[in-house]
């Protein structure tokens, strides 16, 4: 996938009172593979809804969302499944980890399916993000900031044309956010993929190709 396009897209919940001044809703917006986008949003403006639409688990919107000119409403469940393993990587705001499993087990669930990273590469990511000592700890016992870093590593365990990150640094201090940003830029460059990040305030300090207001 090279391009994601939104054409006059709007969450159904906003139909009676459409937002004004948005660069995304009711506009034509294009995300290109290989570029980095920051979407700045106030709470309640549809930030997580946008990620849900792009990842295909929500359809409550008007307008169009196109993957390389294909309307995503036409995609079958099987096609979405393939896309989520080969083209779209997602880091959810609520992380969606299994609290009864260890940090490493959570990461391996995905990597065992994709075989994208070696055990050595996963260990290196844990080290770079300062969570090596938490590899064998139950996720339910980790802080929210540690859980965010585990969810981030899991996201990297697949090929992708686009990485979607919904408020990825909301629980991180500046040092850990900086470490994650460096890893993200390196991994995205290696894959040649695009990055779409949402934020309601704090965000990665990196050079963005475009910053959009939601």
């Amino acid at each position: 996938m090279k391009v994601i396009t939104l054409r006059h897209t709007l969450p159904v919940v906003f139909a009676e009172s459409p937002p004004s001044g948005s660069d995304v809703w009711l506009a034509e917006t294009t995300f290109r593979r290989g570029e980095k986008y920051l979407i700045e949003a106030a709470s309640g403006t549809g930030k997580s809804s946008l990620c849900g639409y792009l990842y295909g688990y929500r359809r409550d919107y008007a307008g169009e969302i196109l993957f390389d000119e294909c309307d995503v409403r036409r995609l079958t469940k099987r096609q979405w499944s393939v896309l989520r393993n080969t083209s779209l990587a997602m880091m959810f705001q609520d992380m969606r980890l299994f609290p009864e499993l260890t940090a490493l087990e959570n990461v391996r669930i995905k990597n065992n399916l994709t075989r994208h990273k070696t055990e050595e590469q996963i260990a290196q990511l844990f080290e770079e993000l300062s969570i090596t000592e938490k590899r064998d700890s139950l996720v339910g016992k980790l802080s929210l900031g540690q859980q965010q870093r585990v969810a981030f590593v899991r996201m990297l365990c697949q090929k992708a044309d686009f990485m979607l990150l919904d408020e990825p640094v909301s629980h991180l201090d500046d040092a850990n956010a900086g470490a994650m940003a460096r890893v993200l830029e390196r991994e995205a460059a290696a894959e040649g993929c695009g990055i779409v990040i949402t934020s309601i305030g704090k965000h990665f300090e990196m050079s963005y190709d475009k910053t959009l207001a939601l």
Side-chain angles (χ1 to χ4, degrees), residues 14-33:
F14 296 153
E16 294 185 3
S17 182
S20 60
S22 174
D23 296 321
V24 178
W25 302 137
L26 294 177
E28 180 154 337
T29 304
T30 299
F31 303 119
R32 301 185 184 280
R33 184 180 178 188

Side-chain angles (χ1 to χ4, degrees), residues 1-7 9 53-54 59 61 63-76 79-80 83 88:
M1 186 194 314
K2 296 181 179 179
V3 179
I4 296 174
T5 305
L6 282 74
R7 290 181 180 160
T9 309
Y53 302 153
L54 297 181
R59 296 167 58 91
Y61 62 88
E64 294 180 306
I65 298 176
L66 309 174
F67 291 169
D68 291 341
E69 295 302 317
C70 173
D71 190 328
V72 302
R73 291 188 185 277
R74 300 175 183 172
L75 297 175
T76 65
Q79 287 173 316
W80 273 115
L83 283 170
L88 296 170

Side-chain angles (χ1 to χ4, degrees), residues 14 23 55 67-68 77 95 104 123-124 132 139 167 181 207 209:
F14 296 153
D23 296 321
Y55 202 60
F67 291 169
D68 291 341
K77 291 182 179 180
M95 294 168 279
L104 185 56
Q124 178 63 30
T132 296
V139 160
E167 277 198 84
S207 177
D209 292 282

Side-chain angles (χ1 to χ4, degrees), residues 93-129:
Q93 181 183 357
D94 59 4
M95 294 168 279
R96 302 194 181 187
L97 299 169
F98 295 97
E100 71 277 12
L101 299 181
T102 68
L104 185 56
E105 286 170 338
N106 270 274
V107 171
R108 281 176 173 164
I109 285 176
K110 168 163 279 192
N111 200 61
N112 287 344
L113 295 173
T114 64
R115 303 295 180 185
H116 187 60
K117 297 288 187 186
T118 65
E119 286 293 315
E120 291 76 15
Q121 288 172 323
I122 292 173
Q124 178 63 30
L125 289 170
F126 271 77
E127 182 176 346
E128 290 183 271
L129 299 173

Side-chain angles (χ1 to χ4, degrees), residues 10-206:
L10 183 71
V12 172
V13 70
F14 296 153
E16 294 185 3
S17 182
S20 60
S22 174
D23 296 321
V24 178
W25 302 137
L26 294 177
E28 180 154 337
T29 304
T30 299
F31 303 119
R32 301 185 184 280
R33 184 180 178 188
E35 297 186 352
K36 300 187 288 291
Y37 300 88
L38 175 65
I39 299 176
E40 296 184 325
S43 181
T45 55
K47 167 187 58 60
S48 294
S49 296
L50 173 62
C51 291
Y53 302 153
L54 297 181
Y55 202 60
Y57 66 89
R58 290 189 58 176
R59 296 167 58 91
D60 54 326
Y61 62 88
E64 294 180 306
I65 298 176
L66 309 174
F67 291 169
D68 291 341
E69 295 302 317
C70 173
D71 190 328
V72 302
R73 291 188 185 277
R74 300 175 183 172
L75 297 175
T76 65
K77 291 182 179 180
R78 179 174 177 78
Q79 287 173 316
W80 273 115
S81 180
V82 171
L83 283 170
R84 293 182 189 125
N85 280 284
T86 61
S87 291
L88 296 170
M90 177 79 179
M91 180 177 171
F92 297 91
Q93 181 183 357
D94 59 4
M95 294 168 279
R96 302 194 181 187
L97 299 169
F98 295 97
E100 71 277 12
L101 299 181
T102 68
L104 185 56
E105 286 170 338
N106 270 274
V107 171
R108 281 176 173 164
I109 285 176
K110 168 163 279 192
N111 200 61
N112 287 344
L113 295 173
T114 64
R115 303 295 180 185
H116 187 60
K117 297 288 187 186
T118 65
E119 286 293 315
E120 291 76 15
Q121 288 172 323
I122 292 173
Q124 178 63 30
L125 289 170
F126 271 77
E127 182 176 346
E128 290 183 271
L129 299 173
S130 301
I131 50 174
T132 296
E133 74 282 1
K134 301 298 182 181
R135 284 169 41 122
D136 298 317
S137 298
L138 295 179
V139 160
K141 301 292 186 180
L142 302 184
S143 70
L144 291 176
Q146 291 165 342
Q147 289 182 35
Q148 278 191 314
R149 282 171 278 172
V150 173
F152 176 69
V153 174
R154 182 185 61 184
M155 181 196 71
L156 296 178
C157 289
Q158 69 168 89
K159 292 183 177 181
D161 296 316
F162 289 90
M163 295 181 184
L164 314 174
L165 298 91
D166 190 8
E167 277 198 84
V169 295
S170 55
H171 300 290
L172 297 180
D173 58 27
D174 290 343
N176 284 312
M180 190 185 289
R182 290 189 293 273
V183 171
L184 177 61
E185 288 194 291
R186 183 192 71 214
E187 296 285 321
E191 292 287 330
C193 68
I195 300 172
V196 180
I197 299 173
T198 68
S199 169
I200 59 171
K202 187 176 182 180
H203 57 76
F204 289 130
E205 296 297 330
M206 62 171 65

